[in-house]
Amino acid sequence: MQRKKEDFVIVVLKRGVVLLVGGLIVGIVLALFNLFMDTTKYSLPSPGIETVQASILPSFHKKQKPKKLTITTHPQQVEVTKVNADNSLVVKGENTTPCKVKLLMISFPPANCYGSRKAHQALKSMTLHKTFWVFTDNQAQSSNEVYLQHGKTLVQIQLLQQGNVIMQNYNGSEKYFYNLQKAQDKASADVKGVWLIPGYVTTTGYHKKAGLIDGEN
């Protein structure tokens, strides 16, 4: 009887030792696994986050393709980026392609004639690298024939008041016809600019021969 009790105690002890050792081994394995995860979790990418960033960021930073600037009777804000030798202008709106325009209802002095250089410089000084409202008129032959407005003043009116240009290519029903005519009449009455030369301005435009004055263009 005593022998059986001793055998039973030995078996229990052996099983206890086996369970204890097994527990220790499992604990060590878990500890090593946790340590490994701690050292790698900051260096491995998170598939969920990286996938979201990869799909969102490129489209967020992608530049929109510039659209064509379509000029209507509704004012749009533009910058004058260039003044051409023929006194046409290149304008550009926000995220638009450049567009060549011509000032509506006015005519500049012919090249190499009286006032041509002064008028070109005046246009350049008034407009280059400045912001304006641009719009056309229902009576314009082309949508690229425009009014250029800064504040409450049209560039056309400023040029006419100084005698730099004259009115031309109009039918009298344009929206700002009378405003422009008033500015031209004042310059003519004050004998300013192109109105200084007798016979230079005619009912149909400029008389080139009258405007050929050496050193005065």
Side-chain angles (χ1 to χ4, degrees):
M1 186 69 179
Q2 183 67 28
R3 179 68 180 173
K4 286 182 178 181
K5 285 184 179 179
E6 290 176 356
D7 290 344
F8 177 75
V9 171
I10 291 171
V11 170
V12 171
L13 288 174
K14 285 182 178 179
R15 288 182 178 179
V17 170
V18 169
L19 290 173
L20 181 61
V21 171
L24 288 172
I25 292 172
V26 170
I28 292 170
V29 170
L30 288 174
L32 289 173
F33 179 76
N34 288 333
L35 180 63
F36 175 77
M37 290 302 293
D38 287 340
T39 57
T40 58
K41 69 180 180 180
Y42 294 110
S43 60
L44 295 176
S46 170
I49 294 174
E50 291 297 322
T51 302
V52 170
Q53 289 178 340
S55 62
I56 292 177
L57 290 181
S59 61
F60 180 79
H61 291 291
K62 186 178 179 181
K63 289 185 178 179
Q64 292 183 346
K65 185 179 179 181
K67 59 186 179 181
K68 181 182 177 182
L69 177 62
T70 303
I71 299 172
T72 67
T73 55
H74 180 72
Q76 300 176 71
Q77 199 167 49
V78 296
E79 180 189 355
V80 176
T81 59
K82 187 178 180 182
V83 178
N84 295 317
D86 64 354
N87 296 307
S88 61
L89 307 170
V90 178
V91 299
K92 187 176 180 299
E94 184 178 0
N95 198 39
T96 72
T97 54
C99 178
K100 183 179 177 180
V101 298
K102 181 182 177 184
L103 292 177
L104 182 64
M105 287 198 293
I106 62 171
S107 176
F108 286 80
N112 302 318
C113 287
Y114 180 83
S116 61
R117 186 183 304 169
K118 185 178 179 181
H120 180 73
Q121 288 301 324
L123 176 66
K124 201 170 183 180
S125 175
M126 286 180 192
T127 62
L128 189 59
H129 302 312
K130 295 178 182 177
T131 303
F132 295 88
W133 294 103
V134 66
F135 54 101
T136 189
D137 194 289
N138 287 326
Q139 301 301 315
Q141 295 179 2
S142 165
S143 62
N144 284 2
E145 293 181 348
V146 303
Y147 295 115
L148 210 58
Q149 181 177 336
H150 181 72
K152 295 183 179 180
T153 306
L154 295 176
V155 170
Q156 282 97 321
I157 289 177
Q158 290 179 288
L159 291 168
L160 285 165
Q161 285 174 337
Q162 295 175 11
N164 295 130
V165 299
I166 61 172
M167 291 180 67
Q168 201 169 25
N169 301 321
Y170 55 85
N171 60 33
S173 60
E174 291 85 359
K175 185 175 182 179
Y176 295 103
F177 170 78
Y178 292 105
N179 303 72
L180 270 64
Q181 189 178 56
K182 184 179 178 181
Q184 176 173 266
D185 289 346
K186 178 120 180 20
S188 174
D190 293 342
V191 196
K192 295 175 71 174
V194 295
W195 301 97
L196 279 167
I197 310 300
Y200 187 28
V201 179
T202 70
T203 54
T204 58
Y206 295 95
H207 191 286
K208 290 185 181 180
K209 219 175 234 190
L212 290 175
I213 300 175
D214 291 338
E216 294 292 336
N217 63 339

